[in-house]
Each structure stands twice: as C-alpha cells, then as structure tokens.
C-alpha cells in the first residue's frame, strides 16, 4: 500500500474553514462531502503530528486513524480509543472547544491510559471573528 501524502496545511485550512459557520452555530450543517473532507484531512493531520498506532481516533461516519507512539495495536478492540462526532472533532481541531471541557461534557468517549489528545490539539488556529482566544 503506498504511503499517504502529507496533508497540505492550506488544503486543511480551506476544508475546515468551510465548516466554521456551522461550528459557530451561524449556518446549517455543511454538505456531507464538505464535512467528510474537513474531518478526514484533520484526522490525517493528527496522524502526521502524532505518528504511531497506540490510539484509534474515530469520527463516524467519516474516518478513523491510528496515532500516538507506543505499543502497536494489531488485533481486536484497541485498548486506547477516542470517539466523537464531527462537530465536536472539528471544534477540538480548531481550538473552539478544549479537550478538558469536551471530556467533562461527555462529548468524547476516551478509553485507555493513552487516550488523551490534548497535547496535539488544536491542530490549527483560525482567527475568531469576535477576537476570542481558542479554548484551552
């Protein structure tokens, strides 16, 4: 299987920017292809920033990646899993939502001792139109 090409940061920014009005509750949910593109590119970016196979990150129905260095998962149910919905994932990826808050509000299912992605989030920062800083 050929290696995936690295995600172009401009391509990621463009894809995620198309979802911002929805993330800010100013527009309806984007089309399936727009949303899938933003989720997949952001997950692939996480995979590049945190290479490994210890944690499986799932954002159904669009994609899942394995990342974070450590013991490699090869069979059965992974011991370290993070799962969330597209809105929560993209909010985390852009810093609109902090990891700790998402955990407290049970917006993420995170199981396993290595299933903490806060070190790598946000993946990109997009200026807030009201000048607010991204959440920690």
């Amino acid at each position: 299987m050929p290696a995936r090409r690295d995600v172009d940061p401009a391509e990621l920014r463009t894809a995620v920017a198309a979802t911002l009005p929805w993330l800010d509750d100013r527009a309806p949910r984007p089309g399936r292809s727009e949303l899938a593109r933003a989720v997949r590119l952001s997950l692939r970016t996480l995979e590049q920033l945190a290479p490994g196979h210890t944690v499986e990150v799932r954002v159904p129905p669009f994609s899942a990646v394995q990342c974070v260095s450590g013991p490699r998962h090869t069979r059965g149910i992974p011991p370290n899993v993070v799962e969330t919905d597209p809105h929560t994932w993209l909010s985390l990826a852009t810093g609109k939502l902090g990891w700790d808050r998402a955990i407290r509000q049970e917006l993420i299912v995170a199981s396993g001792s290595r299933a903490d992605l806060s070190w790598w989030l946000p993946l990109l920062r997009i200026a807030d139109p009201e000048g607010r800083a991204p959440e920690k």
Side-chain angles (χ1 to χ4, degrees):
M1 176 181 214
R4 287 195 235 192
R5 69 174 177 81
D6 286 349
V7 174
D8 176 352
E11 186 180 7
L12 171 65
R13 184 169 291 282
T14 299
V16 172
T19 69
L20 290 178
W22 174 59
L23 296 178
D24 291 336
D25 296 323
R26 296 182 286 121
R29 182 181 171 116
R32 182 175 174 83
S33 62
E34 283 181 311
L35 197 50
R37 181 172 172 77
V39 168
R40 288 176 182 143
L41 287 172
S42 58
L43 283 173
R44 282 185 41 217
T45 299
L46 174 65
E47 188 178 37
Q48 287 172 208
L49 294 173
H53 298 280
T54 300
V55 179
E56 185 166 293
V57 182
R58 303 171 181 163
V59 182
F62 299 115
S63 192
V65 296
Q66 290 188 0
C67 57
V68 182
S69 63
R72 183 181 180 97
H73 165 72
T74 56
R75 298 167 70 180
I77 298 170
N80 299 284
V81 175
V82 173
E83 186 167 335
T84 192
D85 62 277
H87 191 281
T88 300
W89 171 250
L90 293 171
S91 295
L92 288 164
T94 59
K96 292 181 174 297
L97 176 64
W99 179 264
D100 291 340
R101 181 172 163 211
I103 292 289
R104 279 194 313 276
Q105 292 181 343
E106 298 180 354
L107 300 172
I108 301 170
V109 175
S111 62
S113 61
R114 295 176 186 249
D116 180 348
L117 303 179
S118 60
W119 178 262
W120 296 279
L121 296 170
L123 298 173
L124 72 159
R125 298 202 186 264
I126 297 179
D128 185 295
E130 297 178 16
R132 293 178 299 224
E135 218 181 271
K136 295 275 182 196

